[in-house]
Amino acid sequence: DDSGGVYGQVVREVIMAKGGHCHNPLSGSGYLNTEHVERYKFALEQLNGGDTVLDIACGAGYGTALLSRFGCTAIGMDVEAEIIQRNRRRWNTGIFRRGDAEDLPCGSERFDGVVSFETIEHCIEEARFMSEMKRVLKPGGLLLCSTPNVAYTRCIGKSGSGHTREYSPQGF
């Protein structure tokens, strides 16, 4: 039950946030919305308080806020400047910066963890994306990455959606 505690508080803040064209996983019910929230819950189980974490394609910023509130030094990054400006106004925690996942404006070996949910399928050069993830991670760092299953997105008629490539579990 996520109704209480810090996690519940951040979830409620996302629900109450006004405006924004980013996907808000709490704006409706259903499998895909639940998946968005569950990914960050999974990330929190894998990371440690005090870890420096990069949240690539942070969208509405709720994931960056969660990571920060649970003790990580979190940086939310998105390619869209408007999203970054909105997140800076919306959240009083976490740092939001503009950046391209295929050319990160970060030093090498800077992060204990990188969270990249539903990003790689939008990249033009997936090898460059993966190279950047490796470059910014400290030795022994953790990459948490997800992408839609092509069989599922085709089944529900959501295949494409700005994706340059979609993956099967085997292909990913």
Side-chain angles (χ1 to χ4, degrees):
D1 180 1
D2 292 324
S3 61
V6 176
Y7 188 85
Q9 176 61 34
V10 174
V11 169
R12 284 189 294 281
E13 287 177 13
V14 171
I15 291 170
M16 298 306 291
K18 302 219 183 325
H21 70 279
C22 302
H23 176 74
N24 178 344
L26 303 172
S27 63
S29 60
Y31 178 71
L32 292 178
N33 287 320
T34 301
E35 268 194 352
H36 274 270
V37 173
E38 291 299 318
R39 285 183 193 104
Y40 282 101
K41 287 172 74 175
F42 175 77
L44 289 167
E45 293 170 359
Q46 308 308 308
L47 298 164
N48 299 305
D51 281 354
T52 302
V53 180
L54 179 60
D55 184 12
I56 298 287
C58 66
Y62 71 92
T64 306
L66 282 171
L67 293 166
S68 182
R69 298 262 176 100
F70 280 92
C72 295
T73 300
I75 297 174
M77 192 169 288
D78 203 284
V79 72
E80 293 189 40
E82 182 182 322
I83 288 172
I84 295 305
Q85 292 304 317
R86 187 176 304 121
N87 285 340
R88 287 178 179 160
R89 289 188 303 269
R90 180 181 292 159
W91 304 103
N92 63 1
T93 185
I95 299 168
F96 295 94
R97 295 190 182 145
R98 187 171 182 270
D100 185 330
E102 295 177 62
D103 187 21
L104 295 170
C106 307
S108 297
E109 298 183 2
R110 176 147 184 237
F111 298 98
D112 299 298
V114 174
V115 174
S116 177
F117 299 142
E118 314 305 285
T119 310
I120 193 170
E121 67 275 6
H122 296 276
C123 293
I124 295 168
E125 296 182 48
E126 65 195 31
R128 178 76 179 145
F129 168 82
M130 292 304 294
S131 176
E132 283 294 273
M133 300 303 106
K134 182 178 180 182
R135 181 182 68 79
V136 301
L137 277 169
K138 293 178 182 176
L142 180 64
L143 171 62
L144 298 166
C145 186
S146 68
T147 189
N149 181 335
V150 67
Y152 181 76
T153 57
R154 284 184 184 158
C155 177
I156 64 169
K158 297 277 186 180
S159 190
S161 299
H163 300 172
T164 60
R165 179 175 176 182
E166 294 188 329
Y167 300 86
S168 67
Q170 300 80 11
F172 186 59

